[in-house]
Amino acid sequence: MKNNKSYFRKNIDEMDGYTPGEQPRDMKYVKLNTNENPYPPSPAVMKALKSLDAGRLRLYPDPLACELRKTIADIFGLKSESIIVGNGSDDILTITTRAFAGEKDSIACFEPSYSLYPVLAELQGCRCIKIPLGYDGDFYIPSDSAKKANGAKLFYIARPNAPTGTLFPIGEIRKICRNFKGIVFVDEAYADFADDNCVGLLEEFPNLIVGRTMSKSYSLAGLRLGFALASGKIIEGMMKVKDSYNVGMPVQVLATAALKDRKYFNETREKICRTRRYLVKSLLEKGFEVCGSQSNFVFAAPPDKDGEGVYRRLKKNGVLVRYFKGPVTGRYVRITVGTDKEIRILLRNI
Ligand SMILES: *Cc1c(COP(=O)(O)O)cnc(C)c1O
């Protein structure tokens, strides 16, 4: 077809869109590429699923998700007014971008970090200031980051970072909250696997939003439930931006059940942290360089620094990990912490 006129906005035509990790269907892999949890969700979720009242599906769900937000608020010692829930934390990120960054504005993020942030900027038609992380064998926040980001309306920081696993010192986050003039969104998708988190900073900084997801630490990637914690005023504004019914009734019920089972949650995350220590130790023994990880994955570079080679070799042998092109990231592969058995298979083939 000649003269193929496009009906799309210019920024949509020009962008590539987000590339999720492979979800192959051609054969059964040991799947360590998308940071899913290897353990099933809490038995309380199965129980709640069985007793779901399908008749209630006739009605719209609670647009304010009161019970779910109250459950989250209790866990964090906050008020329900400080919580917003969404269709996965990707929905929370979309809401945040739409709420705080207009066309011609900019957002800031580190590089390498979660690759959705620049995509959100493109969708919104705003600019993305990419601030390279410092690198000295591991990744760190450069000291002038707030200054470099200033001018942007929104600063996305994944902590622990993806794909590197780094838990940036909390003092660095505090410094950015103090010196950056816009909203600081700390994406804590992996914080349940880390030694500390930024929830305690919310009292101190009115420009801070903390994002969470149930996809990783609650084994509920298929459910789609994410949430954010911030001041009542920030949440009130974000509520105006979200779809009225952005979380369905079954999701609200099942997420609440999972959150209430603290015992299962704690057991599962401890198992993952234990396997992570075993994986890190084994990779170091094989001569890999391993970034400090406080998440459910590790970022590791083989002795020959050929990340792609490792990725290909593993895939041929039925083990999927994630590889990120790039001068520094290309030396590494990102390996999701699976069960001990899955990790033993990985180690045999790496
Ligand atoms: C997985 C991930 C998310 C997305 O979580 P969902 O709730 O599944 O949308 C957000 N941020 C980071 C850094 C992640 O790794």
Side-chain angles (χ1 to χ4, degrees):
M1 187 177 65
K2 256 191 293 180
N3 187 16
N4 40 8
K5 155 173 156 41
S6 170
Y7 294 94
F8 285 97
R9 288 156 61 209
K10 193 158 164 283
N11 46 324
I12 305 298
D13 262 333
E14 285 170 357
M15 69 183 284
D16 287 330
Y18 177 72
T19 321
E22 297 165 83
Q23 302 282 6
R25 306 197 184 272
D26 58 329
M27 61 178 262
K28 209 165 154 32
Y29 287 93
V30 173
K31 215 175 150 301
L32 304 174
N33 68 326
T34 48
N35 297 345
E36 286 142 330
N37 196 309
Y39 301 106
S42 152
V45 175
M46 310 304 178
K47 208 169 143 226
L49 187 60
K50 281 191 190 128
S51 53
L52 263 183
D53 175 10
R56 267 174 69 196
L57 289 170
R58 186 176 64 77
L59 305 170
Y60 281 108
D62 175 5
L64 298 176
C66 290
E67 198 190 339
L68 174 55
R69 286 167 67 219
K70 176 78 172 72
T71 306
I72 296 168
D74 287 347
I75 289 169
F76 290 95
L78 298 167
K79 294 213 173 90
S80 293
E81 298 85 79
S82 289
I83 318 289
I84 183 171
V85 293
N87 178 31
S89 71
D90 287 349
D91 180 33
I92 297 291
L93 293 168
T94 299
I95 293 167
T96 307
T97 311
R98 291 174 70 194
F100 298 104
E103 235 170 308
K104 308 231 165 66
D105 286 337
S106 33
I107 69 170
C109 63
F110 289 115
E111 202 173 42
S113 190
Y114 188 34
S115 57
L116 182 67
Y117 308 141
V119 174
L120 290 169
E122 286 180 307
L123 284 171
Q124 187 69 352
C126 57
R127 286 190 317 122
C128 186
I129 302 171
K130 293 180 189 162
I131 302 166
L133 287 171
Y135 181 73
D136 60 4
D138 212 327
F139 296 85
Y140 61 91
I141 292 186
S143 58
D144 54 353
S145 298
K147 207 167 102 194
K148 283 200 183 120
N150 261 328
K153 300 282 179 176
L154 183 56
F155 196 163
Y156 280 122
I157 304 172
R159 179 184 189 273
N161 191 39
T164 65
T166 329
L167 190 75
F168 304 125
I170 212 156
E172 296 289 339
I173 305 296
R174 196 178 247 122
K175 219 164 79 188
I176 291 173
C177 288
R178 199 178 303 127
N179 298 325
F180 177 66
K181 305 225 162 36
I183 291 283
V184 179
F185 187 107
V186 179
D187 184 344
E188 293 196 335
Y190 303 102
D192 289 324
F193 306 107
D195 293 340
D196 64 28
N197 61 64
C198 292
V199 176
L201 300 186
L202 286 167
E203 281 181 10
E204 210 176 319
F205 299 108
N207 61 335
L208 174 64
I209 303 174
V210 174
R212 292 288 179 109
T213 174
M214 296 187 70
S215 295
K216 280 98 188 201
S217 50
Y218 288 87
S219 312
L220 289 171
L223 188 69
R224 310 309 301 137
L225 197 285
F227 54 92
L229 320 170
S231 75
K233 204 168 146 198
I234 294 274
I235 296 298
E236 195 185 345
M238 289 171 75
M239 291 292 236
K240 292 194 272 187
V241 179
K242 77 174 187 75
D243 291 345
S244 311
Y245 305 107
N246 64 332
V247 179
M249 179 276 281
V251 178
Q252 292 187 30
V253 170
L254 301 183
T256 304
L259 285 159
K260 286 191 166 153
D261 190 351
R262 304 314 293 158
K263 185 161 170 282
Y264 184 87
F265 166 76
N266 282 316
E267 283 167 6
T268 307
R269 68 171 172 173
E270 270 163 29
K271 271 199 280 194
I272 289 188
C273 291
R274 209 177 309 135
T275 307
R276 179 181 72 207
R277 286 192 287 275
Y278 161 61
L279 171 60
V280 169
K281 186 166 157 279
S282 310
L283 288 169
L284 289 172
E285 282 166 10
K286 286 178 183 290
F288 278 62
E289 268 181 40
V290 184
C291 290
S293 170
Q294 295 252 328
S295 48
N296 69 337
F297 58 86
V298 303
F299 207 46
D304 65 0
K305 303 287 179 283
D306 179 14
E308 191 170 11
V310 173
Y311 162 78
R312 284 187 194 290
R313 194 160 62 242
L314 284 171
K315 187 167 179 184
K316 220 167 54 208
N317 291 309
V319 181
L320 275 188
V321 296
R322 190 106 188 246
Y323 162 73
F324 297 87
K325 273 203 184 67
V328 182
T329 53
R331 299 174 199 172
Y332 291 82
V333 286
R334 190 194 69 186
I335 306 165
T336 303
V337 177
T339 59
D340 285 336
K341 186 170 163 222
E342 287 173 320
I343 294 304
R344 278 197 295 274
I345 296 171
L346 166 102
L347 290 166
R348 264 206 306 278
N349 286 286
I350 207 162

